Amino acid sequence: MPGLHVTDQQVVRYMSQRPNHTQAIAAAKSGFSERTARRLDHDLRLPSQKNPERAWRTRTDPLTEVWPRALEMLKTMPGIMAVTIFETLQEEFSPDAVPDTVRRTLERRVADWQALNGADKEVFFPQRHEPGQQAQSDFTVADALGVTIGGEPFPHRLYHFRLVYSGWEHAHVILGGESFSAVAEGMQDALWKLGGTTVEHRTDSLSAAYKNLARDAQLDFTSRYKDLCDHYGMTATRNNPGVANENGSIESSNLHIKRRLAQALLRRGSLDFESLDDYRRFVDGICDRHNARRKALVAEEREKLRPLPKRRTTDFTKVTVPVTRNSTISVDRVLYSVPSRLIGHKLEVHLYDDRLVCFYGATSVATMERVRVNRSERGRNIDYHHVIGTLRRKPQALRNLLYRDSLFPSAAYSRAWSVLNAGMPTRLACRIMVTLLDIASKDSSVEEALGQRLDAIFDAGKMPDPVALMAEFTPKDPRVTDITIPPPNIKGYNDLLPLMGTGASSVEGGELLP
């Protein structure tokens, strides 16, 4: 029927506009076409007063034969998709009975049935957030950014912390997986940068952090996480496992921050960074710019934050390990070297996400980069400085040393050993190689410069002369210069006599006179 596509309100508006405007202008102001206006001028009844839309079909229903089977699948297979029903009907009937041209008709029919008869859907309830009430955090894998450090691929995660009300955020680059040390370090960095704490801190179920942990370890993780939040006066909460939308404010933000990072990397023109610190500064800069755009909300929320405690709390995992007679310790399936003077003692190791700090008693004795390996692998992190003193006395130990390849500080020294071992007797190669390491151990700048010199020597097809290299790279002793100190002229004391009053003696000829 004419005019049924417009509402009563539109017709009333048209009728009020028509005495003062042309038909076209009144129709435009009312939100419908001039053609509809012409029909309304012939019949000014409201749409609700006209006959209902026809209920008869104008063509044969193409799904008459197959719809009962489709309806059976809808009732017995909750969640089945329209395309699956369509493919099943084509298989059970014939392509002529269910041609491709009826697919959209079937999809609309299925959608209509599900809207009227389908199961209830999950409702997402909008939440009202108060300033200073809740912070959320989560881990997100950032490998797809394609970042490299020094030309090497850099797979990593981001620990993402965000205030729900203002959107203030902090991202901490994580080298390993989801762990307590990663949570503790990232969360505390964010809180101290923010300058306050919220009432509640919410995370997901941290399923990856619990993976492969025994039940006792899981309970320990939970206990330490609760203690961490208690230290900052925050209530620790977690959403239900598998229900990511309960942490929706951070889940969607994970995608946004990675998109901003990807765009900033594109604008930067390079995915490579010289060091991990350079990349971390880059990520911090992206977060700072985002926070600056929300400064009004952030300022409002900062006024509601609770004060920080007097100090940070533990953001590492403690393990106690013995130092073997090989001058090594084993931590999380990785062999690390330590100074040989610690052989036979036990060290307390503070295990951070990216480093290890070793303590003998209360004294820090070694810090090294943390090595990550798969569960089925073993790793090594050997510093030749720790064992070079013994190697000088026993250079032949280098020949079959278990961790020999991990001992060399760079590719230049690995190349040196390969060339020396292939070009001369192994005994002599060991002595020369140990001498080269001894020279390199004197100073970090010497290590790099000597490596470059070795590459140049081998590129020229020559063998290194350890004596010449030692003379060139060993720091020279400072020259001792004789200093002559003349005897003091004691006659100068006479100038002080007027200031000393009566009864003072004078100096004559180097002797003190009464």
Side-chain angles (χ1 to χ4, degrees), residues 98-320:
V98 191
D100 290 343
T101 55
V102 304
R103 174 174 171 174
R104 289 293 299 133
T105 302
L106 176 65
E107 290 175 341
R108 285 192 294 269
R109 186 78 58 83
V110 168
D112 291 342
W113 184 91
Q114 289 174 334
L116 297 174
N117 305 286
D120 289 342
K121 296 182 180 180
E122 183 179 4
V123 179
F124 294 88
F125 299 102
Q127 302 292 299
R128 182 179 63 220
H129 299 290
E130 300 295 335
Q133 180 66 31
Q134 188 183 79
Q136 294 185 353
S137 65
D138 192 18
F139 290 93
T140 181
V141 178
D143 297 352
L145 294 175
V147 171
T148 58
I149 303 294
E152 296 294 327
F154 182 59
H156 64 289
R157 284 175 167 82
L158 296 175
Y159 172 81
H160 191 194
F161 179 98
R162 186 174 185 270
L163 296 184
V164 176
Y165 177 78
S166 65
W168 184 94
E169 69 179 9
H170 171 72
H172 184 67
V173 179
I174 301 298
L175 306 186
E178 301 181 16
S179 63
F180 171 77
S181 59
V183 172
E185 188 171 1
M187 188 181 82
Q188 293 190 91
D189 285 350
L191 291 176
W192 285 88
K193 185 175 182 180
L194 179 62
T197 69
T198 57
V199 175
E200 177 188 356
H201 179 249
R202 188 174 185 82
T203 68
D204 64 5
S205 60
L206 295 176
S207 57
Y210 283 86
K211 188 177 181 180
N212 296 323
L213 291 181
R215 178 161 180 78
D216 289 344
Q218 293 180 14
L219 294 175
D220 180 60
F221 185 105
T222 303
S223 175
R224 285 190 292 163
Y225 171 65
K226 182 180 182 302
D227 291 342
L228 173 65
C229 290
D230 288 347
H231 179 77
Y232 287 93
M234 298 188 297
T235 301
T237 62
R238 296 191 304 176
N239 59 286
N240 295 312
V243 189
N245 60 276
E246 291 186 0
N247 218 24
S249 293
I250 191 69
E251 290 287 346
S252 59
S253 295
N254 287 341
L255 300 177
H256 297 326
I257 189 172
K258 286 190 287 188
R259 186 180 298 117
R260 289 198 299 273
L261 286 170
Q263 291 297 305
L265 289 168
L266 182 65
R267 189 169 64 249
R268 181 175 180 265
S270 173
L271 301 176
D272 189 58
F273 294 83
E274 290 186 4
S275 66
L276 174 59
D277 289 340
D278 288 338
Y279 178 53
R280 281 179 165 159
R281 283 191 290 269
F282 173 79
V283 173
D284 287 343
I286 299 301
C287 292
D288 291 343
R289 285 195 288 274
H290 169 78
N291 295 335
R293 289 192 292 270
R294 310 181 70 85
K295 61 181 180 181
L297 287 173
V298 173
E300 180 183 351
E301 184 154 32
R302 274 198 166 112
E303 293 180 356
K304 302 294 184 179
L305 295 178
R306 296 177 173 183
L308 289 166
K310 294 182 179 180
R311 57 176 179 80
R312 291 172 64 121
T313 188
T314 302
D315 54 1
F316 52 82
T317 302
K318 290 183 183 180
V319 293
T320 301

Side-chain angles (χ1 to χ4, degrees), residues 14 25 290 459 505:
Y14 173 75
I25 294 176
H290 169 78
D459 289 343
S505 302

Side-chain angles (χ1 to χ4, degrees), residues 305-350:
L305 295 178
R306 296 177 173 183
L308 289 166
K310 294 182 179 180
R311 57 176 179 80
R312 291 172 64 121
T313 188
T314 302
D315 54 1
F316 52 82
T317 302
K318 290 183 183 180
V319 293
T320 301
V321 294
V323 180
T324 69
R325 62 180 182 176
N326 302 321
S327 194
T328 58
I329 58 175
S330 181
V331 179
D332 199 15
R333 304 179 313 285
V334 177
L335 196 69
Y336 297 88
S337 66
V338 296
S340 58
R341 61 181 177 273
L342 298 171
I343 291 175
H345 296 283
K346 288 187 176 181
L347 302 181
E348 181 181 280
V349 179
H350 292 183

